[in-house]
Amino acid sequence: MEHWDVVVVGAGPAGAAAALAARRAAPATRVLLLDRADFPRDKVCGDGIAPEALDVLQRLGADPAVLTDGFAPVPRLRMRSPGGAAVERAMHRPAHTVPRRILDARIVDAALAAGAELRRHQVRRLSDDGRRVEIDDALTADVVIGADGAESVVRRALGLAPNRPDRMAVALRGYAPELPGQRGVQVIATTEQRWPAYAWSFPLGDGRANVGYGELVSGGASRTALVEGLHRLLPGVEPDGLRAHRLPLSTERPRQPDGRVLLAGDAASLINPLTGEGIFYAVLSGALAGAAAVSGAAAGQAYRRALRRRLGRHLRHSSAASLLSRWPRIMDAAFRAAAADQRVFDDVVALGLADGRLTLPTLAAAARRLR
């Protein structure tokens, strides 16, 4: 069989970041990226990229200017709470909106330029005998990184169950003209109906926006309900290309067993439970997995420690905030506090889009605005 040092299953942001990180950690490492699709290819997503995600990729050698070329920065964020409290402010640093068809191909190009190899192949089986991992009776690897999304074949091969319905969201995404007065502003509108749920509109900079709506699977979500929720929160929007995808939401403890098989991004249920944001978690967990992969048999343990050091406290805070957010009154108070104080706004954005934490000043400010 053909043998590789590291095989990465899935060449999205998590997988491509893992390939970059493995090559950076040990430049002689032979890294193979496997994906069931040819690039460029579409991926259902909100397309929003937090600046912290670009920071991770830059440290791996991918130039943010190249990754976002042709797409203007989006400096402001407008949010509406379930009860109607509204806030619009400049973010601490601008975000970007880049369609995944473009972004993912650019990150893959960076991984190939760093020395990884890409091959089209749909993985169906793998086994770990403790000495090496075998894939589809065709390949072996010292370490395999599963970055193959919410329906991960690699996760199933490890015997890990899917998320419970109350830890799984589903979202519908399409493209439509920007909302009136939206240029340079990301829009998030939450609702008390079928709560917790929200709609979004993220401008691409060319007059169009990525628009969508998502809610928990446990609420009985259907395509009809998702379309109705989108139209209710963004009236007048008529998107094309509507497609749905599932989002396994993070808990405070990512599932990563010992051994030679690692999970990153959606495959590891690393999706922000407050917002459904996944690209920052994807590239960060991919980077940590790629760096740990060069440890061979100790890769699983090394990766789990790295995740705990880098994301452990944030995941505890985001999980706690997610539980608190199940009460719309608390979200209303948090949005009112963010409207009154830029520091609170920055804390809320960092918690929902990057690796921020619940701070005592923000909690106190929200508590004062409970009604």
Side-chain angles (χ1 to χ4, degrees), residues 3 128-133 141-142 260:
H3 182 75
D128 178 4
D129 66 7
R131 294 178 294 111
R132 59 182 53 188
V133 185
D142 290 336
R260 297 178 179 271

Side-chain angles (χ1 to χ4, degrees), residues 31-49:
V31 179
L32 176 64
L33 275 166
L34 299 177
D35 201 281
R36 63 183 181 180
D38 290 323
F39 285 76
R41 56 94 178 98
D42 188 25
K43 191 73 173 179
V44 183
C45 181
D47 295 344
I49 311 170

Side-chain angles (χ1 to χ4, degrees), residues 48-139:
I49 311 170
E52 290 83 0
L54 296 175
D55 292 343
V56 174
L57 291 166
Q58 185 172 32
R59 288 193 290 271
L60 297 176
D63 185 353
V66 172
L67 299 177
T68 61
D69 183 44
F71 297 90
V74 185
R76 299 184 68 81
L77 174 63
R78 182 189 309 158
M79 300 185 291
R80 188 174 72 241
S81 77
V87 55
E88 180 182 322
R89 287 184 176 273
M91 290 180 278
H92 179 63
R93 294 164 61 196
H96 284 79
T97 310
V98 182
R100 291 286 299 277
R101 178 179 177 85
I102 295 171
L103 176 70
D104 290 15
R106 289 176 175 177
I107 305 175
V108 165
D109 285 345
L112 299 184
E117 184 174 321
L118 174 66
R119 190 176 298 173
R120 184 174 182 178
H121 178 83
Q122 184 167 357
V123 172
R124 301 185 185 279
R125 300 180 307 280
L126 76 156
S127 59
D128 178 4
D129 66 7
R131 294 178 294 111
R132 59 182 53 188
V133 185
E134 186 175 308
I135 301 170
D136 291 338
D137 301 322
L139 300 167

Side-chain angles (χ1 to χ4, degrees), residues 27-353:
T29 303
R30 298 176 65 247
V31 179
L32 176 64
L33 275 166
L34 299 177
D35 201 281
R36 63 183 181 180
D38 290 323
F39 285 76
R41 56 94 178 98
D42 188 25
K43 191 73 173 179
V44 183
C45 181
D47 295 344
I49 311 170
E52 290 83 0
L54 296 175
D55 292 343
V56 174
L57 291 166
Q58 185 172 32
R59 288 193 290 271
L60 297 176
D63 185 353
V66 172
L67 299 177
T68 61
D69 183 44
F71 297 90
V74 185
R76 299 184 68 81
L77 174 63
R78 182 189 309 158
M79 300 185 291
R80 188 174 72 241
S81 77
V87 55
E88 180 182 322
R89 287 184 176 273
M91 290 180 278
H92 179 63
R93 294 164 61 196
H96 284 79
T97 310
V98 182
R100 291 286 299 277
R101 178 179 177 85
I102 295 171
L103 176 70
D104 290 15
R106 289 176 175 177
I107 305 175
V108 165
D109 285 345
L112 299 184
E117 184 174 321
L118 174 66
R119 190 176 298 173
R120 184 174 182 178
H121 178 83
Q122 184 167 357
V123 172
R124 301 185 185 279
R125 300 180 307 280
L126 76 156
S127 59
D128 178 4
D129 66 7
R131 294 178 294 111
R132 59 182 53 188
V133 185
E134 186 175 308
I135 301 170
D136 291 338
D137 301 322
L139 300 167
T140 60
D142 290 336
V143 172
V144 166
I145 299 173
D148 49 340
E151 314 302 331
S152 172
V153 172
V154 178
R155 184 187 65 235
R156 291 201 298 271
L158 290 175
L160 298 176
N163 281 27
R164 303 190 315 263
D166 65 338
R167 303 300 301 178
M168 179 77 74
V170 60
L172 196 72
R173 175 234 69 182
Y175 292 91
E178 288 180 1
L179 301 171
Q182 193 195 348
R183 184 163 293 263
V185 182
Q186 290 188 339
V187 173
I188 292 176
T190 65
T191 173
E192 285 186 323
Q193 293 178 267
R194 303 179 68 87
W195 176 260
Y198 77 88
W200 71 84
S201 179
F202 296 162
L204 298 171
D206 60 359
R208 298 180 303 139
N210 178 307
V211 300
Y213 171 85
E215 61 181 53
L216 290 177
V217 169
S218 58
S222 65
R223 184 178 179 87
T224 299
L226 294 175
V227 172
E228 189 276 330
L230 174 61
H231 288 154
R232 184 177 69 250
L233 293 177
L234 298 178
V237 168
E238 294 296 339
D240 55 25
L242 279 175
R243 293 174 58 196
H245 64 301
R246 300 206 306 165
L247 301 163
L249 304 177
S250 300
T251 64
E252 58 185 89
R253 292 186 179 179
R255 298 175 290 178
Q256 176 54 54
D258 287 338
R260 297 178 179 271
V261 182
L262 317 182
L263 296 173
D266 292 12
S269 299
L270 281 170
I271 292 180
N272 194 297
L274 284 172
T275 61
E277 198 285 334
I279 294 181
F280 169 71
Y281 283 0
V283 297
L284 179 58
S285 62
L288 297 175
V294 300
S295 301
Q301 185 181 42
Y303 176 46
R304 190 171 58 250
R305 284 199 303 263
L307 274 174
R308 186 169 58 246
R309 284 195 303 267
R310 183 63 180 80
L311 273 180
R313 189 173 178 188
H314 162 75
L315 292 176
R316 290 193 297 274
H317 284 229
S318 64
S319 292
S322 176
L323 291 174
L324 291 173
S325 75
R326 300 298 172 94
W327 287 274
R329 285 182 62 244
I330 293 178
M331 292 295 287
D332 292 340
F335 280 40
R336 286 192 291 267
D341 190 326
Q342 180 73 44
R343 292 171 299 178
V344 174
F345 178 86
D346 291 340
D347 280 352
V348 170
V349 172
L351 186 65
L353 300 183

